[in-house]
Amino acid sequence: MSSKAIQLKPFKKNEPQVSIDLWSNIYDKSKEHFKDRTAHTFIIMHHGICLGSFEKGQFIMPVSLSFQPEHLRSIRVFDQDSECYAWKSSMDDEGKFHLRIRQDEDEIEETGELEAIEARQLLWGTCLEDCPEDSGWKLLKEERGIELRVHHSLLPDNLTLNTSNRLWLVTRNYIDYTPVGQAGYTDCRFVRIEAGRG
């Protein structure tokens, strides 16, 4: 019986696009990559974290957590097929971010095969409440006090959370080989949020 929690998947071998640039250029590249598609976001700023949405080139953010590039630590804009991941390192020049764009393609051609492990990571939270100051947003909460703002577009319809039925972050972890044949993970990206049992 195969596990839903972890699956090996083959993809066409595509090299990700990698660059270091100013935030305004990173933002333009993300808008160009997703064009008219709606994507999900995972945004980490100094003053908060949220799982949101990227629609028509705009970040959909809670009112209580406005998007401020000067406080941005990292951001993932992702959908089923690709991800734009930008992050700031303490070693970077002022205003510069790293960017990695990864596009997955199912068809395997002469360029070779890239293997990836798709895995489910548990999101802490057994309770989903309306965010009082932010319509369209929910608070994913845990008894220990952990809270995460989640945009309604990421949540399945008629979702009921409890200790058995939880939210999961599906990640894709890419495998590559050293010249001597040793396998290891070389990259990881976010794919989707799903609900279900462990």
Side-chain angles (χ1 to χ4, degrees):
M1 179 169 125
S2 66
S3 170
K4 187 177 178 183
I6 188 167
Q7 298 174 357
L8 180 65
K9 295 190 167 205
F11 295 95
K12 178 180 175 182
K13 190 167 186 121
N14 284 339
E15 289 300 318
Q17 300 171 37
V18 178
S19 62
I20 298 175
D21 213 332
L22 295 171
W23 170 251
S24 59
N25 296 329
I26 300 279
Y27 176 60
D28 288 342
K29 289 176 184 177
S30 298
K31 283 196 309 188
E32 175 62 26
H33 180 75
F34 283 98
K35 292 186 181 150
D36 296 326
R37 297 184 328 215
T38 296
H40 304 307
T41 60
F42 181 68
I43 298 174
I44 300 176
M45 292 186 287
H46 291 296
H47 57 291
I49 300 173
C50 72
L51 277 164
S53 186
F54 189 69
E55 300 173 11
K56 298 178 183 169
Q58 298 295 315
F59 294 106
I60 308 302
M61 299 287 294
V63 172
S64 59
L65 184 66
S66 62
F67 185 76
Q68 300 172 354
E70 64 272 18
H71 296 294
L72 185 63
R73 298 306 309 150
S74 69
I75 185 167
R76 291 178 183 264
V77 182
F78 62 98
D79 65 10
Q80 186 67 30
D81 301 316
S82 64
E83 179 187 66
C84 293
Y85 172 42
W87 70 98
K88 186 157 188 55
S89 165
S90 60
M91 303 298 289
D92 292 335
D93 293 335
E94 185 70 28
K96 296 279 182 129
F97 287 83
H98 296 256
L99 174 66
R100 189 264 296 131
I101 300 174
R102 182 173 281 283
Q103 177 73 46
D104 291 332
E105 294 181 48
D106 291 335
E107 298 208 11
I108 302 163
E109 298 172 355
E110 303 83 41
T111 56
E113 180 177 305
L114 175 66
E115 293 179 317
I117 299 289
E118 204 163 272
R120 295 171 73 203
Q121 316 297 325
L122 179 66
L123 290 175
W124 285 106
T126 54
C127 176
L128 203 56
E129 297 177 359
D130 288 331
C131 203
E133 69 276 9
D134 295 310
S135 67
W137 289 84
K138 301 282 187 181
L139 277 177
L140 180 62
K141 299 175 92 172
E142 185 75 30
E143 283 183 15
R144 299 180 239 191
I146 296 171
E147 291 183 359
L148 177 64
R149 291 173 185 88
V150 183
H151 192 255
H152 70 89
S153 64
L154 279 82
L155 302 170
D157 293 335
N158 303 318
L159 175 64
T160 303
L161 291 184
N162 52 45
T163 55
S164 300
N165 196 44
R166 305 292 291 271
L167 282 177
W168 301 85
L169 170 65
V170 178
T171 61
R172 196 167 284 159
N173 307 280
Y174 299 88
I175 300 169
D176 204 356
Y177 299 86
T178 65
V180 294
Q182 182 177 356
Y185 291 132
T186 57
D187 198 3
C188 171
R189 81 170 190 84
F190 291 7
V191 179
R192 68 184 173 276
I193 304 294
E194 62 182 38
R197 297 183 173 276

